[in-house]
Amino acid sequence: MDKEIAEIRRPEREGAIFLIYNKGKILLEKRTNPGKSYFGYTIIPAGKVDKTSGETASMAIDREVLEECDVVVKKKVFLDKFLHTTISNMLYETEAYLVTEYDGVIRNVEGKSEHVWVDIGRAEEYLPFADSKYIVTLARKLLSQNS
């Protein structure tokens, strides 16, 4: 029993993942920079939580959306908190949010990927990773309950 407990892997980092929703579509990232992780894949935008500054995942969403898209989050909804392993084998504890209202016009500020707007009903066709498909399913369920 002690051996099993000692083998439990703990998250190395905290992350925040966000879907921006607008008029039936969600914003995804097609990773086009060979020097960045997830090159060649389409993913949901995400970022790290800066625990050294006392940042929460909710605060990280606001910061990441501003840094990556140049818009200010006005309304977001918590979807879930889960563990996932990145492509580089880093274990993250991640919170996912659906951004439903924002101020400004979305721009691709960082340029590390191509922004792609896709119909939320077809998003799984673009997303190869199970955690991304899961988040889209949660968002679709939430949106259908609120309509």
Side-chain angles (χ1 to χ4, degrees), residues 21 98 120 137-147:
Y21 177 79
L98 174 65
I120 194 166
T137 299
L138 291 177
R140 236 190 357 258
K141 183 178 178 181
L142 179 74
L143 290 165
S144 69
Q145 291 171 350
N146 293 335
S147 59

Side-chain angles (χ1 to χ4, degrees), residues 50-131:
D50 182 6
K51 297 303 286 181
T52 61
S53 70
E55 185 176 57
T56 65
S58 178
M59 293 162 64
I61 292 297
D62 295 342
R63 177 183 51 75
E64 289 286 341
V65 170
L66 182 61
E67 288 175 2
E68 293 186 22
C69 302
D70 198 30
V71 296
V72 175
V73 174
K74 299 306 275 181
K75 184 177 178 183
K76 65 183 177 280
V77 181
F78 173 78
L79 294 172
D80 198 5
K81 184 176 189 175
F82 59 97
L83 293 176
H84 82 106
T85 306
T86 66
I87 204 165
S88 57
N89 198 31
M90 181 76 64
L91 183 62
Y92 271 75
E93 181 175 67
T94 301
E95 288 189 26
Y97 289 83
L98 174 65
V99 176
T100 57
E101 293 179 27
Y102 54 88
D103 277 343
V105 176
I106 291 181
R107 309 184 302 114
N108 188 349
V109 178
E110 294 181 321
K112 66 183 176 189
S113 61
E114 177 185 328
H115 282 176
V116 182
W117 286 98
V118 300
D119 183 280
I120 194 166
R122 297 188 58 211
E124 286 94 338
E125 297 172 28
Y126 299 87
L127 298 166
F129 298 106
D131 54 347

